[in-house]
Amino acid sequence: MAISAVKTGRKYEQVLQGAREIFMQHGYERASVDDIARTAGVSKATLYRYFPEKRLLFMEVAKHGCAVQADVVQDFSSCLSDPRAALRAAGTHILSVMLSDFGIRMFRISVAEAERFPDLGRWFYESGPMTIRKQLTHYLAAGVERGHFQIADLNLAADQFAELCRADLCLRLLFNISSEITDAERTRVIDDAIEIFLARYQA
């Protein structure tokens, strides 16, 4: 998808923040430029100087959010000698990203706007789930070298652990079954995921 260059300036971040709030709340179709300008505290003329089209503004919000998400890098190297501690850190990281307000809202928008913005889902996947998968795969490879794990397919094992950690937590938020997930629920799911994973892959 070809996207025009975005102008930056004194009020760029202000406009972007206002747009992010409205798009995350209402999605693309129901978000109005008037509401975005009002929330950002700028005039429509100022908004249009930065983003002449709502479509361009939406894509910039999505790209910016995904870039911030991708920058959350988890380093498990300090836990190499303790597989349970490393997997607990990984599970906590997975849930912090996938259960975040941005993660849940962007997932919904990516599905709803898949035809209008075909690149959106790919950006979200590559900046979130794919980034986590790479980090976890790198740790598991190191664990295999140290004799902690016996894993033939590292990518599959990383995906399996991530799915075990999600359990039904993401779906409950996506479908508004629950408004929040407690720390106790997260801990219970992660602890069980660790035990199941180690039962399958621990050397």
Side-chain angles (χ1 to χ4, degrees):
M1 180 186 299
I3 299 208
S4 306
V6 173
K7 297 179 181 178
T8 59
R10 186 168 57 90
K11 294 193 174 182
Y12 165 81
E13 291 291 344
Q14 193 173 330
V15 171
L16 203 65
Q17 181 58 35
R20 182 184 188 279
E21 183 175 333
I22 296 300
F23 283 132
M24 291 296 104
Q25 183 176 353
H26 299 295
Y28 177 80
E29 189 65 37
R30 293 174 54 222
S32 75
V33 174
D34 287 331
D35 286 342
I36 292 172
R38 187 180 308 112
T39 301
V42 301
S43 67
K44 286 176 67 174
T46 297
L47 188 152
Y48 281 128
R49 274 202 299 273
Y50 291 104
F51 302 98
E53 302 176 31
K54 185 173 83 165
R55 180 186 185 89
L56 179 62
L57 176 53
F58 177 76
M59 295 307 288
E60 188 69 7
V61 167
K63 289 172 65 178
H64 183 268
C66 288
V68 171
Q69 179 176 252
D71 284 341
V72 182
V73 178
Q74 183 71 40
D75 181 11
F76 305 124
S77 60
S78 61
C79 304
L80 279 177
S81 61
D82 187 345
R84 275 187 168 79
L87 291 172
R88 184 166 289 104
T92 301
H93 178 52
I94 288 167
L95 290 186
S96 70
V97 172
M98 299 310 298
L99 300 183
S100 67
D101 185 63
F102 174 80
I104 293 297
R105 290 180 185 273
M106 185 54 70
F107 184 92
R108 289 174 177 156
I109 293 173
S110 296
V111 173
E113 302 294 344
E115 292 187 9
R116 195 196 314 265
F117 301 100
D119 286 339
L120 183 58
R122 176 176 58 81
W123 289 345
F124 175 67
Y125 178 75
E126 289 179 352
S127 69
M130 181 63 77
T131 299
I132 294 173
R133 184 195 203 204
K134 289 179 179 178
Q135 295 165 3
L136 185 53
T137 300
H138 180 74
Y139 161 71
L140 292 177
V144 169
E145 289 183 2
R146 294 173 70 92
H148 295 316
F149 304 113
Q150 290 181 331
I151 301 175
D153 189 330
L154 292 169
N155 286 329
L156 176 60
D159 290 340
Q160 289 171 334
F161 183 72
E163 291 303 319
L164 286 170
C165 289
R166 292 187 185 102
D168 70 334
L169 303 184
C170 287
L171 291 179
R172 282 165 52 192
L173 291 181
L174 285 169
F175 297 136
N176 289 318
I177 304 302
S178 302
S179 59
E180 64 177 348
I181 304 298
T182 66
D183 289 342
E185 289 179 289
R186 295 181 188 223
T187 299
R188 177 178 61 83
V189 170
I190 291 171
D191 286 347
D192 281 354
I194 292 170
E195 294 308 315
I196 293 170
F197 188 85
L198 290 178
R200 171 64 180 85
Y201 290 116
Q202 191 170 34

